[in-house]
Amino acid sequence: MSFLQTYDPLGSPLLSTLLAALPLLLLIYLLAAHPWHDREGRRQRGIGAPRAAFIASLVSLAMAVLVLGMPFPAAGASLVYGALSGLFPIGWVLVAAMFLYTLTVVTGQFDVVRESIVAVSADRRIQVLISAFALGSFLEGAAGFGIPVAIAGAMMVGLGFRPFQAAVLNLLANSVPVAFGAIGTPVLTLGAVTNLDPNRLGALSALQLAPFCLVTPFLVITVMVKMDRKPFRKVLEVWPALLVSGVTFTLGEYLTAAYLGPGLVGILGGLVTLVALLALLTVWRPAAPYDCDPIAASAPARRLAPMAGGAGSSGRTRAAVVRAWLPWVLLTLFVFLWGQPSVKAALERPVAGIPTVLRWSVPFLDQAVYRMPPVVAEPTAEPAVYTLNWLSSPGTAIFLAALVAGLCLGTTPAQWKETVVRTAQRMRGPLTTVAMVLGFSYLTRYTGADGILGLAFTRTGWLYPFFAPLLGWIGVFITGSDTSANAMFGSLQQITARQLGLDEYLIVSANSVGGCTGKLLSAQSIVVATAATYEDRQEAAGAVGSILRAVAGYSLAMAVISGLIVMALAYLAPGLIH
């Protein structure tokens, strides 16, 4: 039975928009504001993400069936489809990344890595720029899928950062490279759904992101200093590093997008920033030290303990340092290779007659839900095919890197067992959370609630350029993915731009840029951050609301600024977009 999405079920655009927004607003409220009391009687705000997503999903399910007229089997199937997509590939990426990190801790190699980073700079401000911003941008460009936040977040906790602080700083740092994540997949998807030149879309996206690229290092360190309750001069003390980071990343991202296309933007942007920072540190060091926050010093971040027989803590030789960094080098190499189209195609061919890609047409959903005008140009059946590409998945690349690294390091059977046990114990809660959040996201998409929200912005007339990035912001908040948001709203952005006589390249690219600002607020991103930084799964679940509240203001402010930039490009400086 087919379901034709309807975008004004209540006969009033305002009421229909409020109806569509209800489950999303409920999810935000439950995650960030719902009051409750813990066992000690203390008042807390925000319930665990799995419960919040489950309640919001029930409301969305009831709305889909009772108001929108969606058949219950289709609604239920979309919920299951999303949950499965949360477990694979996203959950698999998280498990593999945590497996590799835990392996380095269990074998004692992470102690060596930590000491080598401290040897480059013991200043925590510089460590954040290197790990969260430069390395995180490189990993985003190479792989995406939450890998940057997972890897850099775990590394920062290992360096002694508090889990909450590491999560917030990584979410902020990871915002600007998102449009070009996973070898430019978001921009390439925009080009595919709109038949527009992805190279020009990428160049315009980089142009809109340039102001954010410049100020993000400054923002991240400012937030860090504020969280540590230190004076603002602690930010200004590292202005050379902030300037070098911002300028090199901005130039690296824009020039790569303008002349080489979207595929290498994040990779080269992060790489040139890392090299520039390391070069700067050979001739400059912060004049004043950045002492540890007294709160953090009195309650140090909880870290996994290495097993007996791991590396010691002093007298490192260069060979020992290289050996300790081997897992991370292999991670980068494997993830980069897996991201290449030719390698991906080869990995999806059967191996010895065994299929490496399994596809399952979701019953009651595949080709049964139709997107309708004006969200799309003509009625379009929505595919719902669950794909299990077990070999070409980025998670498999990370897992294989961990296996190779473990063999090279001479990991003992006891250490392998300990790594598996610790990873399994740590990831049970996050996997449940990711599955529930993605189930809610897919249900929102297939009911057409996302289309109702999107159409609300198209009624803003000449103000539409301001709201175009906000549409991308909503898309990423719903799906947790800039690629998914572009597939969801790219066509709608193009249709609206043509109707209003606006430059379609500018408006379409604004969708991806707005998605960058929404990435740090999406429940999926926050769950990844907590999974990477918190060892205790109950603490991780309880921290989701606190982290959401901490980043919400920055996310909204960035979205508003992005809208103003698009307005300026559309009406005040149209020559810059041609």
Side-chain angles (χ1 to χ4, degrees):
M1 181 178 179
S2 298
F3 170 64
L4 308 182
Q5 292 182 349
T6 176
Y7 307 117
D8 189 13
L10 301 181
S12 167
L14 176 60
L15 293 178
S16 295
T17 300
L18 292 175
L19 176 72
L22 177 61
L24 293 175
L25 295 175
L26 177 62
L27 178 63
I28 296 173
Y29 166 77
L30 293 173
L31 287 173
H34 183 70
W36 60 282
H37 293 84
D38 60 20
R39 294 178 180 177
E40 287 73 31
R42 293 172 298 188
R43 191 174 185 271
Q44 305 287 350
R45 288 190 297 162
I47 65 176
R51 287 178 57 204
F54 179 72
I55 294 171
S57 296
L58 290 181
V59 173
S60 184
L61 191 66
M63 183 185 77
V65 175
L66 301 178
V67 181
L68 299 177
M70 187 178 195
F72 179 79
S78 64
L79 193 64
V80 173
Y81 180 29
L84 290 175
S85 298
L87 294 175
F88 187 97
I90 298 169
W92 173 227
V93 168
L94 280 175
V95 170
M98 192 53 56
F99 181 80
L100 183 143
Y101 168 70
T102 306
L103 177 70
T104 67
V105 174
V106 167
T107 58
Q109 298 303 315
F110 192 81
D111 287 337
V112 187
V113 170
R114 180 173 61 250
E115 291 168 13
S116 66
I117 294 176
V118 172
V120 172
S121 178
D123 192 293
R124 291 197 168 197
R125 295 164 294 188
I126 305 301
Q127 292 173 2
V128 169
L129 293 176
I130 290 175
S131 57
F133 186 66
L135 179 61
S137 297
F138 175 84
L139 291 174
E140 179 67 39
F145 280 99
I147 291 174
V149 174
I151 295 298
M155 290 184 72
M156 284 178 60
V157 171
L159 286 166
F161 287 82
R162 287 169 291 157
F164 178 81
Q165 186 180 50
V168 170
L169 296 181
N170 271 282
L171 288 169
L172 289 171
N174 186 238
S175 58
V176 287
V178 164
F180 300 99
I183 320 293
T185 300
V187 173
L188 295 175
T189 300
L190 264 185
V193 300
T194 60
N195 290 319
L196 297 178
D197 179 12
N199 291 335
R200 188 178 172 194
L201 288 172
L204 279 174
S205 297
L207 177 64
Q208 296 172 53
L209 284 168
F212 298 107
C213 296
L214 281 170
V215 304
T216 293
F218 177 84
L219 172 65
V220 171
I221 301 305
T222 300
V223 172
M224 173 186 173
V225 168
K226 179 181 177 182
M227 295 175 77
D228 285 341
R229 302 177 186 177
K230 294 183 179 295
F232 183 70
R233 69 172 184 273
K234 289 296 180 182
V235 178
L236 301 180
E237 287 171 356
V238 292
W239 70 264
L242 300 179
L243 182 63
V244 166
S245 299
V247 170
T248 54
F249 186 79
T250 302
L251 291 177
E253 183 169 271
Y254 179 74
L255 294 176
T256 304
Y259 296 104
L260 298 179
L264 296 175
V265 172
I267 294 173
L268 293 182
L271 185 60
V272 298
T273 303
L274 181 60
V275 171
L277 271 174
L278 295 178
L280 174 68
L281 292 172
T282 63
V283 297
W284 169 89
R285 297 279 174 166
Y290 190 83
D291 298 326
C292 292
D293 177 18
I295 297 177
S298 63
R302 183 180 304 170
R303 294 194 297 267
L304 295 172
M307 291 186 66
S313 59
S314 62
R316 308 298 186 189
T317 64
R318 180 172 296 181
V321 173
V322 170
R323 185 170 183 265
W325 274 97
L326 178 63
W328 307 101
V329 173
L330 290 173
L331 164 72
T332 302
L333 177 62
F334 274 64
V335 165
F336 178 77
L337 289 175
W338 254 245
Q340 302 305 305
S342 58
V343 175
K344 183 177 177 63
L347 292 172
E348 292 185 348
R349 300 191 189 106
V351 177
I354 301 174
T356 59
V357 181
L358 303 175
R359 293 183 173 87
W360 173 51
S361 178
V362 182
F364 308 110
L365 193 63
D366 184 30
Q367 304 296 319
V369 173
Y370 281 79
R371 288 262 184 186
M372 303 297 291
V375 172
V376 290
E378 58 185 25
T380 304
E382 284 281 274
V385 179
Y386 180 69
T387 302
L388 188 70
N389 53 329
W390 59 270
L391 186 57
S392 63
S393 166
T396 303
I398 300 172
F399 185 70
L400 290 177
L403 292 181
V404 173
L407 294 175
C408 293
L409 294 173
T411 305
T412 66
Q415 289 173 331
W416 281 118
K417 179 180 177 181
E418 184 71 9
T419 300
V420 171
V421 171
R422 290 185 178 183
T423 302
Q425 290 175 343
R426 188 167 183 174
M427 293 308 300
R428 279 184 296 176
L431 288 178
T432 302
T433 301
V434 170
M436 289 305 308
V437 168
L438 265 291
F440 171 77
S441 298
Y442 275 53
L443 182 59
T444 301
R445 169 187 169 187
Y446 281 97
T447 59
D450 59 341
I452 298 174
L453 295 172
L455 288 174
F457 290 110
T458 67
R459 301 183 180 96
T460 56
W462 68 273
L463 286 173
Y464 184 72
F466 174 80
F467 290 101
L470 294 178
L471 190 54
W473 183 93
I474 288 178
V476 172
F477 178 78
I478 293 174
T479 65
S481 163
D482 200 33
T483 299
S484 298
N486 288 343
M488 181 186 296
F489 288 135
S491 179
L492 177 61
Q493 296 271 25
Q494 182 181 38
I495 292 171
T496 305
R498 290 175 176 175
Q499 291 175 344
L500 298 175
L502 298 167
D503 187 285
E504 57 185 330
Y505 276 93
L506 173 65
I507 300 302
V508 169
S509 61
N511 193 83
S512 195
V513 173
C516 294
T517 69
K519 182 70 172 179
L520 68 159
L521 192 61
S522 73
Q524 176 185 318
S525 298
I526 295 175
V527 168
V528 170
T530 56
T533 55
Y534 285 84
E535 181 181 355
D536 187 283
R537 61 179 184 270
Q538 290 185 341
E539 290 182 10
V544 171
S546 299
I547 295 173
L548 190 151
R549 292 192 297 272
V551 302
Y554 301 109
S555 178
L556 291 171
M558 291 170 66
V560 170
I561 294 171
S562 180
L564 294 175
I565 291 172
V566 177
M567 284 278 286
L569 290 173
Y571 298 126
L572 299 180
L576 292 177
I577 62 179
H578 295 292

